[in-house]
Amino acid sequence: MRHVPSFVLICVAFLSAADLRAQDMLQGVDLAQPAYSQAELTRADVEAALKQRKSGKVDLSQKSLNGLDLSGLDLHGVDFRAARMNKTRLAGARLDDAILDQAWLIEADLSGASLKGVRAFASQMQRMRADGADFAHARLAGDLTGASARGANFSDADLSADMKNQSMGLMRAVLRSAALEGARFRNANLASADLRFAKAMRADFSNANLKGADAAGADFTGANWTGAKTEGLDLDSAEIDFAARAALSGAQNLDRARMK
């Protein structure tokens, strides 16, 4: 067995424990209660607020907007901080530069939506549908477990771990078991992100930073690794192309990856 330095084991233990704390937000939350399953506003109410916006500021923070059809609306710059939008339809909506910190978007539909420059810190986005969505330059440090983001654009986005703020546990993009086929992560920061069991076939990671990311069991068949930083990327049981070995030479557990 290869010797693993003690400081590495300590870091792994710290990240694992912090990750568990970060996911505790769902524990004890009854998603069936009205605050997380019903809406206190209608689409007409939201449209009225947008028409009255001043200086581009609309505050919908802490509002319950669950299940509403807000598809196609121009919601750029809106403050959705701690808003509850579970199963809300936002397909084709414009949410550029919106604030989604601590927002709830479980099973929301953002297919084809524009979220350029959006901020989503400690957000709950499990099983969200975001196929073809544009997250360019976004700051994503939320839970997207089981999300579908096929063909989505994450170019220049920051999905890395926030090592400065640990009061809520380790905040990073969690893309565990997410569908990422054909997604673009060009120049994105995925340092210490969670990509375990992600389906990232044909994804583009050119010039992306994946240092210390956990991608155990992920499928990277056909992925583009040109210029990617992969030191410490955990590829235990991941599926990769045989031709990608050179680009992934700095990865961890490369010898345990499944070559195709």
Side-chain angles (χ1 to χ4, degrees), residues 183-196:
R184 302 186 299 283
F185 293 92
R186 300 168 190 161
N187 303 303
N189 186 359
L190 291 147
S192 298
D194 186 346
L195 292 157
R196 284 176 287 175

Side-chain angles (χ1 to χ4, degrees), residues 111-130:
S111 304
S114 180
L115 299 106
K116 290 180 286 187
V118 77
R119 178 180 170 87
F121 188 84
S123 304
Q124 301 298 319
M125 301 178 172
Q126 295 89 331
R127 302 181 300 284
M128 177 178 72
R129 295 186 298 281

Side-chain angles (χ1 to χ4, degrees), residues 61-130:
S61 60
Q62 302 188 51
K63 297 296 185 183
S64 290
L65 306 170
N66 306 291
L68 288 183
D69 184 353
L70 303 179
S71 56
L73 291 183
D74 184 352
L75 301 161
H76 77 275
V78 173
D79 186 351
F80 288 107
R81 200 185 320 260
R84 296 167 293 278
M85 296 184 281
N86 297 324
K87 297 186 178 180
T88 297
R89 180 171 171 76
L90 293 154
R94 181 189 174 200
L95 292 119
D96 300 342
D97 299 313
I99 301 174
L100 293 168
D101 292 348
Q102 296 181 299
W104 295 73
L105 289 145
I106 297 174
E107 296 183 12
D109 184 359
L110 288 94
S111 304
S114 180
L115 299 106
K116 290 180 286 187
V118 77
R119 178 180 170 87
F121 188 84
S123 304
Q124 301 298 319
M125 301 178 172
Q126 295 89 331
R127 302 181 300 284
M128 177 178 72
R129 295 186 298 281

